[in-house]
Amino acid sequence: MWTLKAWQGRILPHPLPTNERLRHYAGWCDAVEGNTTFYATPTRETVATWADQTGPGFRFVLKLPRTVTHDHRLTDADEPLRAFLHAIEPLGPRAHALWIQLPGSFAPADVPTLARFLRRLPTTHRYAVEVRHPAFFDDPRAVRLLEGVLTDADAEWIPFDTTAFFRSPPTSDAERNAWTKKPRMPLRTHALTERPIVRYLGRDDTVRTVEGWQHWIDVVAGWLREGRSPTVFVHTPDNADAPVLARRFHDEVRARVPGLAPLPEPIPVEPSPVEPSPVEPLTLF
């Protein structure tokens, strides 16, 4: 998702035709999570429009289809995987990493399946894995097992940091909804590759969101000094100010690492002369 109703007319112009939405989002942030690819593989033609709206340095972190990761659990899924890889080819270098989010039931005993899956993937892409089974955070043997498999494949482990979110009870409808759906993930800050990826969930209260990400400022600044190229995604339960918060996070890191390039200047919010269809859904595709 790169448009949200709460952003319209404030962060992004409104109305805005479909083929301009990503272009305007890319003026705020230089990376996006491709979460909806989990639910359906877009057409190759749609993906080509994404490439047209972004520069070669823009980063897509695209989630593999649930058919591959959840329904087939990484086995006997050659056809949906092949269709997905064919569809995203137009992105070229913009496909920063393919995101393998595994279900909470995917346990240490399943790691050999992951290892076989990673070995069969084409080397033309980078891969990053998100796990949610508690043993991968509580059991040192499970941690070593998974890290070994990922390191052998030069794949990253994506942490989903929800510690700030679950620090105190929810205070808004969006927070109460997220409280029942988001995983309670322990904090993990160890990078395995030169391109670590972080997903951070704050609160709808900006002050608490900023307080919760302070340890990531230290970690990301350290990664940059080591020569790594991290990608950080900032979420809140309602995501109303997510692009603004992402830029603030970037500015705080840049204050520690002055050599870090600034984000692009947003395109001014002005009404578009082209009216979108009144029934057009605000989705990736």
Side-chain angles (χ1 to χ4, degrees), residues 55-99:
F58 189 86
R59 301 178 178 188
F60 288 85
V61 177
L62 298 171
K63 191 183 291 188
L64 261 62
R66 67 174 300 153
T67 306
V68 175
T69 57
H70 287 54
D71 297 343
H72 288 267
R73 296 174 68 89
L74 309 183
T75 61
D76 301 323
D78 289 354
E79 186 51 41
L81 178 62
R82 188 179 301 112
F84 175 77
L85 295 174
H86 176 73
I88 67 170
E89 276 184 354
L91 292 179
R94 298 167 184 81
H96 181 71
L98 302 189
W99 170 16

Short mmCIF file of all heavy atoms in Angstrom, two decimals, residues 55-99:
data_model
loop_
_atom_site.label_atom_id
_atom_site.label_comp_id
_atom_site.label_asym_id
_atom_site.label_seq_id
_atom_site.Cartn_x
_atom_site.Cartn_y
_atom_site.Cartn_z
N GLY A 55 12.46 5.66 -9.39
CA GLY A 55 13.82 5.65 -9.89
C GLY A 55 14.50 4.32 -9.62
O GLY A 55 14.01 3.51 -8.82
N PRO A 56 15.65 4.07 -10.24
CA PRO A 56 16.33 2.77 -10.08
C PRO A 56 16.80 2.50 -8.65
O PRO A 56 17.03 1.36 -8.29
CB PRO A 56 17.51 2.86 -11.05
CG PRO A 56 17.71 4.33 -11.28
CD PRO A 56 16.36 4.95 -11.17
N GLY A 57 16.93 3.55 -7.83
CA GLY A 57 17.36 3.35 -6.45
C GLY A 57 16.24 3.09 -5.47
O GLY A 57 16.48 2.83 -4.29
N PHE A 58 15.00 3.14 -5.93
CA PHE A 58 13.85 2.89 -5.04
C PHE A 58 13.83 1.41 -4.66
O PHE A 58 14.14 0.55 -5.47
CB PHE A 58 12.55 3.27 -5.76
CG PHE A 58 11.34 3.25 -4.87
CD1 PHE A 58 11.00 4.36 -4.12
CD2 PHE A 58 10.55 2.12 -4.77
CE1 PHE A 58 9.88 4.35 -3.30
CE2 PHE A 58 9.43 2.10 -3.95
CZ PHE A 58 9.10 3.22 -3.21
N ARG A 59 13.44 1.12 -3.41
CA ARG A 59 13.51 -0.25 -2.90
C ARG A 59 12.11 -0.83 -2.66
O ARG A 59 11.33 -0.30 -1.87
CB ARG A 59 14.28 -0.28 -1.58
CG ARG A 59 15.69 0.24 -1.69
CD ARG A 59 16.41 0.22 -0.34
NE ARG A 59 17.78 0.69 -0.47
CZ ARG A 59 18.68 0.64 0.50
NH1 ARG A 59 18.35 0.15 1.69
NH2 ARG A 59 19.91 1.08 0.29
N PHE A 60 11.82 -1.92 -3.33
CA PHE A 60 10.63 -2.72 -3.04
C PHE A 60 11.06 -3.94 -2.24
O PHE A 60 11.97 -4.67 -2.64
CB PHE A 60 9.97 -3.21 -4.33
CG PHE A 60 9.26 -2.16 -5.14
CD1 PHE A 60 9.96 -1.37 -6.04
CD2 PHE A 60 7.88 -1.97 -5.02
CE1 PHE A 60 9.31 -0.42 -6.81
CE2 PHE A 60 7.23 -1.01 -5.77
CZ PHE A 60 7.94 -0.23 -6.66
N VAL A 61 10.43 -4.16 -1.10
CA VAL A 61 10.60 -5.40 -0.36
C VAL A 61 9.27 -6.14 -0.50
O VAL A 61 8.27 -5.79 0.15
CB VAL A 61 10.96 -5.14 1.11
CG1 VAL A 61 11.05 -6.46 1.88
CG2 VAL A 61 12.28 -4.39 1.21
N LEU A 62 9.24 -7.12 -1.38
CA LEU A 62 7.99 -7.75 -1.81
C LEU A 62 7.78 -9.09 -1.11
O LEU A 62 8.66 -9.95 -1.13
CB LEU A 62 8.01 -7.97 -3.32
CG LEU A 62 8.10 -6.69 -4.17
CD1 LEU A 62 8.32 -7.07 -5.63
CD2 LEU A 62 6.85 -5.84 -4.02
N LYS A 63 6.61 -9.24 -0.53
CA LYS A 63 6.31 -10.47 0.20
C LYS A 63 5.90 -11.58 -0.78
O LYS A 63 5.08 -11.36 -1.68
CB LYS A 63 5.17 -10.23 1.20
CG LYS A 63 4.97 -11.37 2.18
CD LYS A 63 3.79 -11.12 3.12
CE LYS A 63 4.03 -10.02 4.09
NZ LYS A 63 2.94 -9.94 5.10
N LEU A 64 6.49 -12.76 -0.60
CA LEU A 64 6.10 -13.90 -1.42
C LEU A 64 4.63 -14.25 -1.18
O LEU A 64 4.10 -14.05 -0.09
CB LEU A 64 6.96 -15.12 -1.10
CG LEU A 64 8.13 -15.39 -2.07
CD1 LEU A 64 9.10 -14.25 -2.08
CD2 LEU A 64 8.83 -16.69 -1.69
N PRO A 65 3.95 -14.80 -2.19
CA PRO A 65 2.53 -15.13 -2.03
C PRO A 65 2.30 -16.14 -0.90
O PRO A 65 3.11 -17.04 -0.67
CB PRO A 65 2.16 -15.74 -3.39
CG PRO A 65 3.17 -15.21 -4.34
CD PRO A 65 4.45 -15.06 -3.55
N ARG A 66 1.17 -15.99 -0.23
CA ARG A 66 0.83 -16.91 0.86
C ARG A 66 0.65 -18.34 0.36
O ARG A 66 0.83 -19.29 1.12
CB ARG A 66 -0.43 -16.45 1.58
CG ARG A 66 -1.73 -16.51 0.76
CD ARG A 66 -2.92 -16.16 1.64
NE ARG A 66 -3.02 -17.10 2.75
CZ ARG A 66 -3.58 -16.80 3.93
NH1 ARG A 66 -4.08 -15.60 4.15
NH2 ARG A 66 -3.65 -17.71 4.87
N THR A 67 0.32 -18.47 -0.93
CA THR A 67 0.23 -19.82 -1.51
C THR A 67 1.54 -20.57 -1.32
O THR A 67 1.56 -21.77 -1.03
CB THR A 67 -0.09 -19.72 -3.01
OG1 THR A 67 -1.26 -18.94 -3.18
CG2 THR A 67 -0.29 -21.10 -3.61
N VAL A 68 2.65 -19.84 -1.44
CA VAL A 68 3.98 -20.45 -1.33
C VAL A 68 4.36 -20.66 0.13
O VAL A 68 4.82 -21.73 0.52
CB VAL A 68 5.03 -19.56 -2.03
CG1 VAL A 68 6.43 -20.12 -1.83
CG2 VAL A 68 4.71 -19.44 -3.53
N THR A 69 4.18 -19.62 0.95
CA THR A 69 4.72 -19.65 2.31
C THR A 69 3.79 -20.30 3.33
O THR A 69 4.26 -20.95 4.27
CB THR A 69 5.04 -18.22 2.77
OG1 THR A 69 3.85 -17.42 2.69
CG2 THR A 69 6.14 -17.61 1.92
N HIS A 70 2.49 -20.12 3.17
CA HIS A 70 1.54 -20.58 4.17
C HIS A 70 0.75 -21.81 3.72
O HIS A 70 0.60 -22.77 4.49
CB HIS A 70 0.57 -19.46 4.56
CG HIS A 70 1.19 -18.39 5.39
ND1 HIS A 70 2.33 -17.71 5.02
CD2 HIS A 70 0.83 -17.88 6.61
CE1 HIS A 70 2.63 -16.82 5.96
NE2 HIS A 70 1.75 -16.92 6.94
N ASP A 71 0.25 -21.77 2.50
CA ASP A 71 -0.55 -22.91 2.02
C ASP A 71 0.32 -24.12 1.74
O ASP A 71 0.03 -25.23 2.20
CB ASP A 71 -1.34 -22.52 0.77
CG ASP A 71 -2.34 -21.40 1.04
OD1 ASP A 71 -2.65 -21.15 2.23
OD2 ASP A 71 -2.80 -20.76 0.07
N HIS A 72 1.39 -23.92 0.98
CA HIS A 72 2.30 -25.02 0.63
C HIS A 72 3.49 -25.14 1.58
O HIS A 72 4.23 -26.12 1.50
CB HIS A 72 2.80 -24.86 -0.81
CG HIS A 72 1.77 -25.14 -1.84
ND1 HIS A 72 1.60 -26.38 -2.42
CD2 HIS A 72 0.83 -24.33 -2.42
CE1 HIS A 72 0.62 -26.33 -3.31
NE2 HIS A 72 0.13 -25.10 -3.32
N ARG A 73 3.68 -24.15 2.43
CA ARG A 73 4.76 -24.15 3.42
C ARG A 73 6.11 -24.48 2.78
O ARG A 73 6.87 -25.32 3.24
CB ARG A 73 4.43 -25.12 4.56
CG ARG A 73 3.20 -24.69 5.36
CD ARG A 73 2.82 -25.74 6.39
NE ARG A 73 3.83 -25.83 7.45
CZ ARG A 73 3.81 -25.09 8.57
NH1 ARG A 73 2.85 -24.18 8.76
NH2 ARG A 73 4.74 -25.26 9.49
N LEU A 74 6.36 -23.80 1.63
CA LEU A 74 7.63 -23.85 0.91
C LEU A 74 7.89 -25.16 0.18
O LEU A 74 9.01 -25.38 -0.30
CB LEU A 74 8.81 -23.56 1.86
CG LEU A 74 8.72 -22.30 2.73
CD1 LEU A 74 10.01 -22.12 3.54
CD2 LEU A 74 8.46 -21.06 1.89
N THR A 75 6.91 -26.01 0.03
CA THR A 75 7.09 -27.26 -0.71
C THR A 75 6.05 -27.35 -1.83
O THR A 75 4.91 -26.89 -1.67
CB THR A 75 6.96 -28.48 0.20
OG1 THR A 75 5.66 -28.51 0.78
CG2 THR A 75 8.01 -28.45 1.31
N ASP A 76 6.46 -27.94 -2.96
CA ASP A 76 5.54 -28.16 -4.09
C ASP A 76 4.82 -26.87 -4.49
O ASP A 76 3.61 -26.88 -4.74
CB ASP A 76 4.51 -29.24 -3.73
CG ASP A 76 5.16 -30.57 -3.39
OD1 ASP A 76 6.17 -30.91 -4.04
OD2 ASP A 76 4.68 -31.25 -2.47
N ALA A 77 5.56 -25.79 -4.54
CA ALA A 77 4.96 -24.49 -4.89
C ALA A 77 5.69 -23.86 -6.07
O ALA A 77 5.73 -22.63 -6.19
CB ALA A 77 4.99 -23.57 -3.68
N ASP A 78 6.23 -24.68 -6.96
CA ASP A 78 7.02 -24.15 -8.07
C ASP A 78 6.22 -23.23 -8.98
O ASP A 78 6.72 -22.19 -9.41
CB ASP A 78 7.60 -25.31 -8.89
CG ASP A 78 8.70 -26.05 -8.16
OD1 ASP A 78 9.09 -25.59 -7.06
OD2 ASP A 78 9.16 -27.10 -8.66
N GLU A 79 4.99 -23.61 -9.28
CA GLU A 79 4.21 -22.83 -10.24
C GLU A 79 3.85 -21.44 -9.70
O GLU A 79 4.09 -20.44 -10.39
CB GLU A 79 2.95 -23.58 -10.66
CG GLU A 79 2.17 -22.90 -11.77
CD GLU A 79 3.04 -22.53 -12.97
OE1 GLU A 79 3.92 -23.34 -13.36
OE2 GLU A 79 2.86 -21.41 -13.50
N PRO A 80 3.27 -21.31 -8.50
CA PRO A 80 2.99 -19.95 -8.02
C PRO A 80 4.25 -19.13 -7.79
O PRO A 80 4.24 -17.91 -8.00
CB PRO A 80 2.22 -20.18 -6.70
CG PRO A 80 2.49 -21.58 -6.32
CD PRO A 80 2.72 -22.33 -7.59
N LEU A 81 5.33 -19.77 -7.41
CA LEU A 81 6.59 -19.04 -7.24
C LEU A 81 7.11 -18.55 -8.59
O LEU A 81 7.53 -17.40 -8.73
CB LEU A 81 7.63 -19.94 -6.57
CG LEU A 81 9.02 -19.31 -6.38
CD1 LEU A 81 8.95 -18.09 -5.48
CD2 LEU A 81 10.00 -20.34 -5.83
N ARG A 82 7.04 -19.41 -9.60
CA ARG A 82 7.49 -19.03 -10.94
C ARG A 82 6.66 -17.86 -11.48
O ARG A 82 7.20 -16.91 -12.06
CB ARG A 82 7.39 -20.23 -11.88
CG ARG A 82 8.03 -19.99 -13.25
CD ARG A 82 7.92 -21.22 -14.13
NE ARG A 82 8.57 -22.39 -13.53
CZ ARG A 82 7.92 -23.46 -13.09
NH1 ARG A 82 6.60 -23.53 -13.18
NH2 ARG A 82 8.59 -24.47 -12.56
N ALA A 83 5.36 -17.91 -11.26
CA ALA A 83 4.48 -16.82 -11.72
C ALA A 83 4.82 -15.51 -11.03
O ALA A 83 4.83 -14.44 -11.65
CB ALA A 83 3.02 -17.21 -11.47
N PHE A 84 5.11 -15.58 -9.74
CA PHE A 84 5.46 -14.38 -8.98
C PHE A 84 6.78 -13.78 -9.48
O PHE A 84 6.87 -12.57 -9.73
CB PHE A 84 5.56 -14.74 -7.50
CG PHE A 84 6.04 -13.63 -6.63
CD1 PHE A 84 5.20 -12.59 -6.26
CD2 PHE A 84 7.35 -13.61 -6.16
CE1 PHE A 84 5.64 -11.55 -5.45
CE2 PHE A 84 7.81 -12.58 -5.35
CZ PHE A 84 6.94 -11.55 -4.99
N LEU A 85 7.78 -14.62 -9.65
CA LEU A 85 9.08 -14.13 -10.11
C LEU A 85 8.98 -13.53 -11.51
O LEU A 85 9.64 -12.53 -11.82
CB LEU A 85 10.10 -15.26 -10.08
CG LEU A 85 10.45 -15.81 -8.69
CD1 LEU A 85 11.36 -17.02 -8.82
CD2 LEU A 85 11.09 -14.75 -7.83
N HIS A 86 8.15 -14.12 -12.37
CA HIS A 86 7.96 -13.58 -13.72
C HIS A 86 7.28 -12.21 -13.64
O HIS A 86 7.66 -11.27 -14.36
CB HIS A 86 7.11 -14.55 -14.54
CG HIS A 86 6.77 -14.03 -15.91
ND1 HIS A 86 7.68 -13.94 -16.93
CD2 HIS A 86 5.58 -13.56 -16.41
CE1 HIS A 86 7.09 -13.45 -18.01
NE2 HIS A 86 5.83 -13.20 -17.72
N ALA A 87 6.30 -12.08 -12.75
CA ALA A 87 5.53 -10.84 -12.65
C ALA A 87 6.39 -9.67 -12.19
O ALA A 87 6.21 -8.54 -12.65
CB ALA A 87 4.36 -11.03 -11.71
N ILE A 88 7.35 -9.91 -11.31
CA ILE A 88 8.11 -8.80 -10.74
C ILE A 88 9.37 -8.45 -11.53
O ILE A 88 10.09 -7.52 -11.18
CB ILE A 88 8.48 -9.08 -9.27
CG1 ILE A 88 9.47 -10.25 -9.16
CG2 ILE A 88 7.22 -9.33 -8.45
CD1 ILE A 88 10.04 -10.42 -7.77
N GLU A 89 9.63 -9.18 -12.60
CA GLU A 89 10.84 -8.91 -13.40
C GLU A 89 10.99 -7.45 -13.83
O GLU A 89 12.11 -6.92 -13.84
CB GLU A 89 10.88 -9.82 -14.61
CG GLU A 89 11.45 -11.18 -14.36
CD GLU A 89 11.54 -12.03 -15.62
OE1 GLU A 89 11.06 -11.58 -16.68
OE2 GLU A 89 12.12 -13.12 -15.54
N PRO A 90 9.91 -6.75 -14.20
CA PRO A 90 10.08 -5.36 -14.66
C PRO A 90 10.71 -4.43 -13.61
O PRO A 90 11.21 -3.36 -13.98
CB PRO A 90 8.65 -4.93 -14.99
CG PRO A 90 7.95 -6.20 -15.35
CD PRO A 90 8.52 -7.21 -14.41
N LEU A 91 10.69 -4.81 -12.35
CA LEU A 91 11.27 -3.95 -11.32
C LEU A 91 12.79 -3.89 -11.42
O LEU A 91 13.41 -2.91 -10.99
CB LEU A 91 10.88 -4.43 -9.92
CG LEU A 91 9.41 -4.27 -9.56
CD1 LEU A 91 9.17 -4.81 -8.16
CD2 LEU A 91 8.97 -2.81 -9.65
N GLY A 92 13.40 -4.92 -11.95
CA GLY A 92 14.86 -4.94 -12.05
C GLY A 92 15.50 -4.74 -10.68
O GLY A 92 15.12 -5.38 -9.71
N PRO A 93 16.45 -3.79 -10.58
CA PRO A 93 17.17 -3.60 -9.32
C PRO A 93 16.30 -3.02 -8.20
O PRO A 93 16.71 -3.00 -7.04
CB PRO A 93 18.29 -2.63 -9.69
CG PRO A 93 17.77 -1.88 -10.88
CD PRO A 93 16.94 -2.88 -11.64
N ARG A 94 15.11 -2.54 -8.53
CA ARG A 94 14.22 -2.00 -7.50
C ARG A 94 13.71 -3.09 -6.56
O ARG A 94 13.28 -2.79 -5.45
CB ARG A 94 13.03 -1.30 -8.16
CG ARG A 94 13.39 -0.10 -9.03
CD ARG A 94 12.20 0.32 -9.87
NE ARG A 94 12.52 1.41 -10.79
CZ ARG A 94 13.11 1.26 -11.96
NH1 ARG A 94 13.48 0.03 -12.34
NH2 ARG A 94 13.36 2.29 -12.74
N ALA A 95 13.74 -4.34 -7.01
CA ALA A 95 13.34 -5.45 -6.14
C ALA A 95 14.49 -5.69 -5.15
O ALA A 95 15.36 -6.53 -5.35
CB ALA A 95 13.05 -6.70 -6.97
N HIS A 96 14.47 -4.92 -4.09
CA HIS A 96 15.57 -4.92 -3.13
C HIS A 96 15.72 -6.25 -2.42
O HIS A 96 16.82 -6.74 -2.21
CB HIS A 96 15.33 -3.80 -2.11
CG HIS A 96 16.40 -3.66 -1.08
ND1 HIS A 96 17.65 -3.15 -1.38
CD2 HIS A 96 16.42 -3.96 0.24
CE1 HIS A 96 18.39 -3.14 -0.29
NE2 HIS A 96 17.68 -3.63 0.71
N ALA A 97 14.59 -6.85 -2.04
CA ALA A 97 14.60 -8.16 -1.39
C ALA A 97 13.23 -8.79 -1.53
O ALA A 97 12.22 -8.09 -1.56
CB ALA A 97 14.98 -8.04 0.08
N LEU A 98 13.22 -10.11 -1.62
CA LEU A 98 11.96 -10.85 -1.59
C LEU A 98 11.78 -11.36 -0.17
O LEU A 98 12.66 -12.00 0.41
CB LEU A 98 12.00 -11.99 -2.61
CG LEU A 98 12.26 -11.55 -4.05
CD1 LEU A 98 12.06 -12.72 -5.01
CD2 LEU A 98 11.36 -10.37 -4.45
N TRP A 99 10.62 -11.08 0.36
CA TRP A 99 10.32 -11.20 1.79
C TRP A 99 9.55 -12.50 2.01
O TRP A 99 8.43 -12.66 1.53
CB TRP A 99 9.54 -9.97 2.18
CG TRP A 99 8.88 -9.86 3.50
CD1 TRP A 99 9.07 -10.60 4.61
CD2 TRP A 99 7.88 -8.88 3.82
NE1 TRP A 99 8.26 -10.15 5.62
CE2 TRP A 99 7.53 -9.11 5.16
CE3 TRP A 99 7.26 -7.86 3.11
CZ2 TRP A 99 6.56 -8.33 5.80
CZ3 TRP A 99 6.31 -7.09 3.75
CH2 TRP A 99 5.97 -7.32 5.08
#
